[in-house]
Every structure is written in C-alpha cells, then in structure tokens.
Amino acid sequence: MHSNWPDILWIVRHGQSAGNVARDAAESGGLAVIDLAWRDIDVPLSPLGVAQSKALGEWFQKLPPDEQPEVVLCSPYLRAKETARLVTERSRLAPHAVTLRIDERLREKEFGVLDRLTKLGIHQKHPELNQQRIHVGKFYFRPPGGESWCDVILRLRSLLEMVTREYADRRVLVVAHQVIVNCMRYLLEHMDEQQILDIDRQGDVPNCAVTSYRAQRRADEDQVLQLDLVNFLAPLQEAATPVTSAPDQPAAPKP
C-alpha cells in the first residue's frame, strides 16, 4: 500500500493526564462517573505526566542528530500537545529544524454517550449497550455518538497516506493516545482483529512509552517499515520517573 515511508517513525502515548488520575480515583471509589471539569480535549497532564514527558525529551536529546525527530505530528488534545511541547523543549531540538503539525485525525477515540463513565457506570446506566459491547467486541462496537476502533483506523489510513506523501525519508514523531498507538500498529504491522485485541488484552500502553519503526528496502520490493521498539520504557526508567499505564479516560464538562 505504501512505498515511501519515513526513515524512522516513533509513536508515543502522551504523559499521564489528570483524566487518568481521576479515572483511577473513580474506579477505586466504586463510582459510576469520573469527576472532571474539563472537556476531554482540554484535560491537561498531571505533574507526573509532565515529568514523564521531560524524561522522554531528554532521551531524544541523547540520540545522535541524525537520529532525532524532524517532524512532530500531534493530537489536538491538550495532554498530547503538552507532551509534544515538553519533549521538543527537553530534547533541545532547534525550532527551525522541527516541523510541528497538529492533526485532528490523531485525536482520542470518541466515546459518545459513554463519555466519563467507569465500567460500573456503563453497566448501570446503559445495560443494553453494555451487553451489545460485550457481544460485538471492542473492535467493532460503536457507542451512540462515538467511534469504533474501525472508525479510528479509517482516519489513520488517511493520515498514513499523508505521511508517506509529505514526509518520506524524514524522521517523524507521532504524539497521541493509547487507542491511536494500537490502531497504528494494526495498520503498520498488517494485523487482524484478533491480533490487535490480543495485544490490547496484555495491558494498557504506558504513558510516554515509545513504539518505533525503521524503513528498510528489500530486494525487488517496495520500502517497508520494520518494527524496532514496542512500548519502550527506558527513557522513563533512566530518569527514575514512575511508569503509569492507566487507560485513557473520556472526560466531558460537568452538567
């Protein structure tokens, strides 16, 4: 499908957010609704998320110049933009040498009527939807007003076409969300539903973990991307920064 890939493609989940913290509090407290005042797009990083983003930036800073990002593609959500900003600042990438592009196709999966609900809240408030969700499965289930994983994958196909068209042979860093990381892997590694859901069941994508690919050209074939790192956590471990992996949590304004 693609023949002109970036030299290196990094895909990173944002640092821990205030939404992750609020979700943990709601789940542990047995609450149905996560108590957050922000729209999902406006949820900021937590203090730990700031530290994680800085640690990742310091890791990029230690790479040789010809191994550092030239292009940063970022979700428009605040927690992703803050992560991208802190990473580029701490990595000391020269502003004139890095292209930063905000792209709505990298936004979080939209949860529709399930917005701000814990698992208990979904079960209590939408029992029929909960049963449909269990029957259909995470990959194809689309909550009213929201998206399925397939919907996210559709917009990411368009994004990848843009990447191969505009950033071939460049070094590209993508900063986004957990579902985006998994759906990008689905596309780049030519997975099927079962394969990507098996990976998802193994655990959440850690905040600021690095998954990366490197371009390789095989004899008599188009250029391909070869998986290099998966949920790489050394940048946080080297900085002695705690690792977190709570799921991204939808958040909407309080009523």
Side-chain angles (χ1 to χ4, degrees), residues 150-169:
C150 288
D151 295 321
V152 175
I153 288 166
L154 181 61
R155 51 178 158 99
L156 290 179
R157 288 187 186 278
S158 168
L159 179 106
L160 287 177
E161 288 171 0
M162 180 270 290
V163 167
T164 59
R165 183 176 63 251
E166 298 187 21
Y167 302 120
D169 304 319

Side-chain angles (χ1 to χ4, degrees), residues 151-221:
D151 295 321
V152 175
I153 288 166
L154 181 61
R155 51 178 158 99
L156 290 179
R157 288 187 186 278
S158 168
L159 179 106
L160 287 177
E161 288 171 0
M162 180 270 290
V163 167
T164 59
R165 183 176 63 251
E166 298 187 21
Y167 302 120
D169 304 319
R170 306 285 296 280
R171 299 183 297 275
V172 179
L173 168 62
V174 173
V175 181
H177 308 271
Q178 171 168 253
V179 172
I180 298 297
V181 174
N182 282 334
C183 289
M184 291 277 276
R185 289 195 62 188
Y186 169 90
L187 288 169
L188 295 170
E189 298 172 45
H190 307 287
M191 295 183 186
D192 59 24
E193 176 191 6
Q194 192 61 48
Q195 288 172 312
I196 193 57
L197 291 183
D198 284 346
I199 287 174
D200 181 65
R201 276 190 288 269
Q202 292 171 14
D204 298 317
V205 176
N207 296 104
C208 282
V210 179
T211 295
S212 66
Y213 300 82
R214 290 178 180 267
Q216 292 187 352
R217 189 172 297 281
R218 298 173 180 171
D220 301 322
E221 292 185 14

